[in-house]
Amino acid sequence: MVHRLGNLRDDPIHQEQSRTFAICSMKYNQSSAEESDMHFVRFLDDQTFEFMSTYPLDTFEHGCSILSCSFSDDGNVYYCVGTAYMLLEEKDPTKGRILVFIVEDGKLQRIAEKETEGAVCSLNAFNGKLLAAINNEIQLYKWMLRDDSSRELQSECGRHGPELALHVQTRGDFIVVGHRMGSIHQGSTSLLIYKLEEGATEKRAHDYSANYISAVEILNDDTYLGAKNNFNLFTVRKSSEDAADWDRGSLEWIGEYHLGEFVNRFRHGSLVMRLPDSDVGQIPTVIFGTALGD
């Protein structure tokens, strides 16, 4: 039986350069004797909201994550879509894809495709590359030029975690990962750092709690915000370099708040106008979305 991945990233993504939105959608079909659903990637005009193009996914393939980004040494802007093949006999998906699209002259073109060994739960633009959470692995891809002038995603490095990596946020060279359910020894939130010279990621710290993480966000280089499936928000802080060796690799809990709602997304921003010359306007704020739509 399929183990549900939780909050799949099917939010609409806006691309200013092509003036389009991209979404992952599902069409439920009950016309035949057997109920079924079909999944698509759809592209809309950002002014009229009319469908410009539709890309059908394979049978059993679901859209899990979507991103607009650019790559190093390439002036184009692309849509990247992560998918998973959801088969009834599998607890967790063992196959997925990363699809790369470009919009040119109002037309959609698929530029590249990369098969993965699991569900692509999250995609992030990262230092001119593509960072993907594939089941319990964090995988970094380079955008490489082939001899025939076409492009492809090429793996640079990867790191396995304790459980499904559902939520990933980045800041500079830091990567914060929220797992589906961490063990008391591995933790449910991990802090990684990317080392450019070595072309590798290194685990810097993790918390020691066993929680189901529903969203994460980076507040600053040392402090991270998270949400749990029991309707609580929490903050953790990276231990200082002066901490004892045994404590340096831990994320210290510094705050917890019972909200009473299931938070599935954080974003830096504000719901009100912020005047630049106001003291209040200088205070950084984070907004959140919940399963109830608040």
Side-chain angles (χ1 to χ4, degrees):
M1 190 171 184
V2 172
H3 197 301
R4 291 297 177 187
L5 299 179
N7 174 38
L8 298 182
R9 300 302 184 90
D10 55 358
D11 299 353
I13 296 295
H14 182 245
Q15 190 176 93
E16 183 178 355
Q17 293 80 358
S18 64
R19 304 188 66 175
T20 59
F21 284 102
I23 60 173
C24 295
S25 67
M26 179 188 75
K27 180 180 179 181
Y28 186 68
N29 182 17
Q30 202 174 10
S31 58
S32 60
E34 295 184 0
E35 298 178 354
S36 63
D37 51 59
M38 300 176 61
H39 293 257
F40 306 88
V41 182
R42 298 184 186 272
F43 299 85
L44 301 83
D45 184 279
D46 70 352
Q47 298 299 309
T48 65
F49 297 102
E50 294 181 353
F51 287 117
M52 299 171 55
S53 183
T54 298
Y55 183 87
L57 298 177
D58 292 343
T59 304
F60 303 118
E61 187 179 19
H62 293 216
C64 298
S65 50
I66 191 166
L67 172 74
S68 174
C69 69
S70 58
F71 297 98
S72 299
D73 305 319
D74 188 342
N76 296 310
V77 181
Y78 299 94
Y79 280 117
C80 298
V81 178
T83 75
Y85 288 84
M86 310 284 276
L87 305 179
L88 291 176
E89 63 271 18
E90 293 181 347
K91 177 183 176 181
D92 291 321
T94 59
K95 180 182 177 182
R97 290 193 296 173
I98 299 175
L99 304 169
V100 183
F101 300 93
I102 191 171
V103 180
E104 291 183 334
D105 300 324
K107 296 181 180 179
L108 178 70
Q109 297 184 43
R110 194 186 74 183
I111 300 298
E113 171 187 342
K114 185 72 174 181
E115 291 189 0
T116 63
E117 296 181 353
V120 186
C121 300
S122 177
L123 290 172
N124 284 266
F126 186 74
N127 293 340
K129 303 171 186 179
L130 183 66
L131 188 69
I134 304 170
N135 279 11
N136 64 331
E137 182 178 12
I138 301 300
Q139 184 72 47
L140 185 63
Y141 293 97
K142 299 181 288 187
W143 188 234
M144 301 299 294
L145 186 65
R146 291 172 171 168
D147 294 336
D148 60 0
S149 298
S150 63
R151 294 274 184 172
E152 68 174 346
L153 290 170
Q154 187 178 101
S155 175
E156 178 177 344
C157 60
R159 174 166 291 273
H160 288 274
E163 256 292 355
L164 281 181
L166 293 180
H167 313 284
V168 179
Q169 293 295 333
T170 64
R171 178 187 174 102
D173 292 332
F174 288 105
I175 305 167
V176 173
V177 184
H179 301 281
R180 177 176 63 186
M181 176 65 81
S183 69
I184 196 67
H185 302 291
Q186 294 293 332
S188 52
T189 310
S190 302
L191 174 65
L192 310 177
I193 187 170
Y194 171 65
K195 295 189 171 182
L196 178 62
E197 298 80 7
E198 302 174 15
T201 55
E202 177 183 283
K203 187 173 183 179
R204 278 293 178 90
H206 62 267
D207 70 358
Y208 288 95
S209 61
N211 294 300
Y212 192 122
I213 304 300
S214 61
V216 294
E217 186 56 83
I218 299 177
L219 299 181
N220 55 50
D221 286 347
D222 300 319
T223 312
Y224 318 111
L225 173 66
K228 301 184 292 184
N229 70 332
N230 58 0
F231 311 139
N232 291 330
L233 305 182
F234 67 94
T235 50
V236 292
R237 179 173 56 201
K238 181 180 64 173
S239 299
S240 68
E241 297 297 330
D242 297 331
D245 291 341
W246 65 270
D247 194 42
R248 197 172 299 160
S250 65
L251 293 173
E252 175 191 3
W253 280 59
I254 58 174
E256 188 170 11
Y257 177 77
H258 180 66
L259 180 67
E261 293 190 52
F262 185 92
V263 174
N264 51 26
R265 185 61 57 89
F266 291 114
R267 280 290 182 268
H268 286 276
S270 174
L271 296 178
V272 297
M273 182 179 295
R274 303 169 67 98
L275 300 177
D277 56 348
S278 169
D279 292 338
V280 177
Q282 305 304 314
I283 301 175
T285 58
V286 174
I287 59 178
F288 59 83
T290 72
L292 297 179
D294 298 334

